[in-house]
Amino acid sequence: MNQVSDRLHHVFKIQSQHKWVNKVSTAEQRIEKLLKLKAVVQSREDDVVQALHADLRKDAEGARSEATPIYGEVDQALAELSNWMTPIEADPTPFIGNRAKIMPESRGVVLLFSPWNYPFALLFQPLVSIIAAGNCALVKPNELAPHVSKLAAEIINEVFDEKDVAVFEGGIDLANEMLDLPIDHIFFTGSPAVGKIIMTAAAKHLASITLELGGKNPVIVDRTADLQTSAATIAAFRNINNGQVCLCPENVWVPEEMAEEFMAIVQGTFQAMFYTDGKLNPDTNGKIIDERNYQRVKGYIDDAREKGATVICGGEGDPELRSIHPTIMTNVPENATIMSEETFGPILNIFTYKEVDEAITHIQQQPKPLALYIFTNDDDFSEMILSKTSSGGVTVNNCLMHVAVPGMPFGGVNSSGIGAYHGIYGFKELSHQRSILFM
Ligand code: NAD
């Protein structure tokens, strides 16, 4: 065994004992840890900005927006944790005259893996729920964002004793070694393909799991929608972080008579937001995380074009910036690779419909997405779409925004994820609800 391996096994042993201490920790003790985490993240915010620029060319605002939800999670725990932790009296029927309660208890040792596209927020946000619920954690930041990984490790080492939270930096070999441990719970954010590997590994020890995965998010534009606002919004959100966002809109369904105008507005928005003097602007276009992913995204366009798709705009990469031009494709055939793979790049596939049932049938036949977006001015239309589809979450007349509501659970469904978090939902996800009957 090498040094990392030795340390991993040593820390796991210590945490496996210490989880019994954390299980009975008070709300005050947990909050003390969370406030320390918040303070250290706040004091390192400039380093967060630098690390996210180095790994993904995020601008300062985008980078700081990775810290904000962490503070929000801590503040919510500060206000609510003792309520969340209070056991609920339960109806003891049929044992009338006896007492029953449901008590949330920590799961134990949690393994936490994060993705590279929001490598800071999606490491520390789940960590807040893990700590609030009284767990220990073994944390692996994402190796494809090395500057953030190093910074995250420094922060964790400064805030936590390793019996509570220990960080291990590394790639797939390390991930596999961690997955071999008889862990209590795995919290994984990443791709559906690796999600299956995680689920298989969890099965070996019957660990519980939270899988926060991705997918292809559909958009339905109704005839009553404000076309200008809908198209401009969809265009802007498609190219955040150069399209590397799990919630980005991807397959857009537009009434056929509106499609031409819709695409013209999208194209105009791309130009206005992401180009200067006809050239991709490095300040507003994120960097594709690595060469493999750059080639992967470019490959989707080349493959679709070869199979008959029409590229309306974009379609090329800028190797110097390692960005893909915001792209619109139409007539994408079913056998194009992009039809079955999550793009994770700035490509909008436009489909047209005469009757909206064509769009609904297509969406019903695909794996359930992480998000669905509906643009309409008709409440009956949105209710009808909601009743005939499934997705992790929905925003009507905008994109992504439902993730920012702290009082709602965030997660996918089936192929886009299992379980959910944020606020009380994160606390519950990282707790076991224990039923206790006193006789
Ligand atoms: P990924 O699945 O490639 O990697 C995530 C983690 O798994 C990393 O820590 C990595 O080291 C580990 N890993 C990778 N391959 C492995 C293997 N073969 N065996 C064991 N572990 C392995 O995901 P990613 O590329 O970092 O992130 C992009 C994906 O994450 C996209 O699918 C995106 O939609 C999804 N995502 C989801 C959310 C969400 O909240 N639902 C948020 C962001 C990203």
Side-chain angles (χ1 to χ4, degrees), residues 233-267:
T233 305
I234 292 163
F237 280 105
R238 175 65 278 196
N239 195 29
I240 299 183
N241 203 21
N242 211 208
Q244 302 167 110
V245 183
C246 56
L247 287 165
C248 270
E250 186 161 338
N251 286 347
V252 188
W253 290 85
V254 188
E256 61 180 7
E257 71 280 9
M258 294 163 84
E260 209 167 304
E261 193 185 344
F262 178 88
M263 288 192 283
I265 300 167
V266 170
Q267 221 174 321

Side-chain angles (χ1 to χ4, degrees), residues 12 20 354 409:
F12 178 64
W20 299 106
K354 279 193 181 63

Side-chain angles (χ1 to χ4, degrees), residues 266-287:
V266 170
Q267 221 174 321
T269 310
F270 282 162
Q271 280 297 329
M273 289 186 73
F274 306 116
Y275 289 83
T276 307
D277 300 330
K279 290 191 79 174
L280 263 192
N281 178 353
D283 296 334
T284 53
N285 283 280
K287 181 164 72 175

Side-chain angles (χ1 to χ4, degrees), residues 112-118 122 140-144 170-177 179 187-195 197-198 211-215 217 244-247 289 292-293 296 342 344 370 403 410-412 416-417 421-422:
L112 172 60
F113 287 173
S114 56
W116 49 257
N117 64 334
Y118 283 82
L122 297 182
K140 191 184 87 60
N142 199 292
E143 69 278 18
L144 296 189
I172 297 174
D173 289 347
L174 175 63
N176 283 324
E177 200 167 340
L179 287 169
F187 193 111
F188 170 84
T189 305
S191 59
V194 180
I197 295 173
I198 303 293
L211 300 179
E212 297 284 336
L213 310 177
N217 303 313
Q244 302 167 110
V245 183
C246 56
L247 287 165
I289 188 75
R292 187 181 67 79
N293 278 287
R296 179 184 61 77
E342 178 182 9
F344 235 49
L370 186 59
V403 69
F410 175 69
S416 56
Y421 70 125
H422 288 191

Side-chain angles (χ1 to χ4, degrees), residues 306-322:
E306 268 166 34
K307 290 173 179 159
T310 310
V311 176
I312 303 289
C313 69
E316 301 299 327
D318 183 325
E320 256 172 56
L321 294 182
R322 212 203 289 145

